[in-house]
Amino acid sequence: MKDKIKESYRQLIVDTGIEMLDKGITVGTWGNISARDPETDLVYISPSGMDYLSIKAKHVVVMDLNLNVIDGETEPSIEKHMHIAVFNTRKDVNAVVHTHPVYSSAFGTVEQPLPGISEDFIQIVGAEVQVARPYALPGTAELGETAVAGLGDNNAVLLPGHGALLVGTDMKMALKVSLVLEKNAQIYLYAKMLGGDIRAFKQNEIDFMQDFARNSYGKKNKGA
Ligand SMILES: [Zn+2]
């Protein structure tokens, strides 16, 4: 198995951690990141409790889909159950990001689903993001189960009293989902303050936007 390990994936985890700090997606050592190499099904995950700025490629832990550590000189993130549970359930997902965002977490705290009120959210996150229920303690296999159930076919799920879990076909997309989720939560809260009715998208509009995102968006520019 060790001969299948790719340094580029280890570096991806290092670079993504720094990008998360730069974009203000997470603070301190909180949050964790993983990527699956679809060719080998090996998972590259951030180490437990290390500052993102001190993580080097050698600290990234390589695991298989049965939670076995294949290589790594540090402990994997305590949320390994949650990351691996997603990869075992969603074959379309190759990157998982877990964050502790402010605005989206407000919805998880009151256990209220976050409806998609912006087009970008509908396109890459889902029509309505759910809260993982019931509450499960961090680092437990139970949290993995509730997170996967709450995620469904969406690309984000809210973890009550904890944070959010974002997924994507690749790391670029998972990070984009993270930013769009937080932006949508912020807009929703400001819109509520304005006091008017928040316009809900109709099902045919949701279908149109999701179909566009899947089949047309950016396709013409690929390879150009
Ligand atoms: Zn957490």
Side-chain angles (χ1 to χ4, degrees):
M1 261 330 225
K2 282 202 178 188
D3 57 326
K4 292 181 177 165
I5 293 170
K6 295 175 187 165
E7 278 307 301
S8 57
Y9 275 91
R10 282 198 146 127
Q11 195 56 44
L12 174 68
I13 301 298
V14 173
D15 296 344
T16 305
I18 294 166
E19 199 176 341
M20 276 171 59
L21 280 182
D22 284 349
K23 290 198 162 94
I25 295 171
T26 198
V27 289
T29 62
W30 278 283
N32 27 74
I33 320 156
S34 69
R36 178 219 329 244
D37 175 2
E39 278 181 15
T40 62
D41 262 348
L42 287 178
V43 173
Y44 298 73
I45 188 163
S46 50
S48 175
M50 274 186 82
D51 192 298
Y52 286 108
L53 292 175
S54 41
I55 298 176
K56 303 272 180 282
K58 65 177 181 182
H59 300 128
V60 174
V61 182
V62 186
M63 302 183 75
D64 68 16
L65 292 176
N66 295 315
L67 286 158
N68 298 310
V69 171
I70 304 300
D71 192 41
E73 49 184 69
T74 54
E75 283 293 310
S77 161
I78 63 153
E79 297 299 2
K80 57 183 187 278
H81 295 284
M82 188 162 67
H83 287 256
I84 302 267
V86 172
F87 292 127
N88 276 320
T89 314
R90 288 276 299 271
K91 298 300 169 198
D92 60 314
V93 167
N94 292 312
V96 176
V97 172
H98 165 52
T99 59
H100 293 180
V102 175
Y103 297 100
S104 331
S105 294
F107 289 80
T109 299
V110 296
E111 301 206 352
Q112 183 180 317
L114 173 57
I117 51 163
S118 306
E119 294 173 356
D120 48 8
F121 185 98
I122 299 284
Q123 288 179 18
I124 71 161
V125 188
E128 183 178 76
V129 165
Q130 305 301 316
V131 179
R133 287 196 182 92
Y135 173 80
L137 286 166
T140 58
E142 289 73 31
L143 181 59
E145 287 167 24
T146 58
V148 162
L151 185 65
D153 291 331
N154 288 334
N155 288 329
V157 60
L158 303 168
L159 311 173
H162 187 165
L165 187 72
L166 312 316
V167 307
T169 49
D170 58 22
M171 194 59 82
K172 214 172 146 196
M173 181 176 171
L175 283 181
K176 205 194 271 185
V177 168
S178 155
L179 293 170
V180 170
L181 174 87
E182 186 66 344
K183 179 176 81 93
N184 201 85
Q186 203 172 353
I187 293 171
Y188 188 97
L189 294 168
Y190 283 136
K192 277 279 182 194
M193 280 188 221
L194 290 174
D197 289 334
I198 293 177
R199 184 185 181 277
F201 286 111
K202 298 185 177 78
Q203 190 57 49
N204 67 316
E205 293 167 343
I206 293 170
D207 293 344
F208 177 87
M209 282 186 276
Q210 291 186 341
D211 182 63
F212 175 75
R214 256 193 305 270
N215 302 315
S216 310
Y217 189 59
K219 284 254 162 91
K220 279 185 187 158
N221 294 331
K222 286 262 165 70

